[in-house]
Amino acid sequence: MTTARVGVLALQGDVREHVALLEHLGADVVRVRRPEEFAQVDGLAIPGGESTVIDKLSRQFGLAEPIRAAIRDGMPMLGTCAGLIMLSDRLIDAIDGQQTFGGMDVLTRRNAFGRQTESFEAELDIPALGTDPVHTTFIRGPVVEEVGADATTLAALEDGRVVAVEQGNLLGISFHPELSGEPRFHQRFLDRVAARG
């Protein structure tokens, strides 16, 4: 079996933590900053950071259209925090002119949890990942306000706010498993890459 070669979008955000976790899980990881690097990978992780900066830089570096085309073609992608925003079809509280890669039939609110000082951690039951609770870290995360017919909710907070969704080979989450060393979302992503093989 060949090792999955996946990319981490390395324009801004917590790139290093995603690379470390994916490598720990046995993946061959490429830091993606240019279209030629993106062309080498079979899946893409989009890290947390600032979605407006990721949007601007992805267009500036010629990555936005290749990523959109890959989403249409079914490439597996994992988006955490800002990455969830980038995979959402529709946004609330976007800045003027802000674009996303899209692909997920969801309406997502940016910075739904307020300032960085209001960050928090929680244990969530996520049946799709097994019976053990998932330790989650939220840092100025987004929330999915509406889940369309094509998307599936994986996890919600006790108050009902949706914080993890998937649609086909796309997986979007509001929190940062790469910061707490929680491997199951990244493994789910790698399993999708392997299945597409």
Side-chain angles (χ1 to χ4, degrees):
M1 180 181 134
T2 57
T3 303
R5 173 172 272 198
V6 296
V8 175
L9 189 61
L11 300 176
Q12 192 256 348
D14 62 336
V15 174
R16 187 178 66 233
E17 292 84 354
H18 280 277
V19 170
L21 185 50
L22 288 164
E23 287 180 341
H24 174 74
L25 293 171
D28 177 13
V29 184
V30 175
R31 286 172 171 81
V32 172
R33 294 183 187 90
R34 298 192 247 341
E36 49 270 31
E37 293 158 345
F38 183 56
Q40 300 171 22
V41 303
D42 301 309
L44 184 69
I46 306 169
E50 179 48 63
S51 60
T52 54
V53 176
I54 294 171
D55 166 38
K56 188 187 298 183
L57 291 176
S58 68
R59 286 188 270 164
Q60 199 171 314
F61 285 87
L63 278 164
E65 284 309 321
I67 290 173
R68 288 188 185 108
I71 289 170
R72 288 192 296 271
D73 193 43
M75 178 188 277
M77 295 196 189
L78 167 66
T80 63
C81 199
L84 163 61
I85 294 169
M86 293 304 299
L87 291 175
S88 300
D89 280 345
R90 301 175 302 284
L91 298 181
I92 299 173
D93 294 341
I95 66 165
D96 283 350
Q98 181 172 358
Q99 298 179 22
T100 67
F101 303 139
M104 297 188 85
D105 183 15
V106 294
L107 173 68
T108 300
R109 181 182 297 277
R110 293 174 65 237
N111 298 341
F113 294 111
R115 300 177 180 278
Q116 196 137 339
T117 53
E118 295 168 61
S119 301
F120 66 97
E121 298 183 16
E123 300 289 323
L124 293 181
D125 288 320
I126 305 179
L129 298 184
T131 54
D132 290 338
V134 176
H135 185 77
T136 58
T137 305
F138 290 84
I139 304 170
R140 289 178 63 233
V143 160
V144 177
E145 297 271 346
E146 293 175 11
V147 179
D150 294 329
T152 303
T153 298
L154 289 181
L157 297 174
E158 283 185 1
D159 61 11
R161 288 184 291 178
V162 174
V163 293
V165 288
E166 68 181 349
Q167 180 174 331
N169 280 329
L170 302 179
L171 181 56
I173 55 182
S174 300
F175 43 89
H176 291 273
E178 73 285 358
L179 296 182
S180 56
E182 164 56 63
R184 286 174 282 178
F185 281 101
H186 288 72
Q187 187 60 60
R188 192 175 181 86
F189 161 63
L190 291 176
D191 291 346
R192 296 278 164 83
V193 174
R196 200 164 176 256

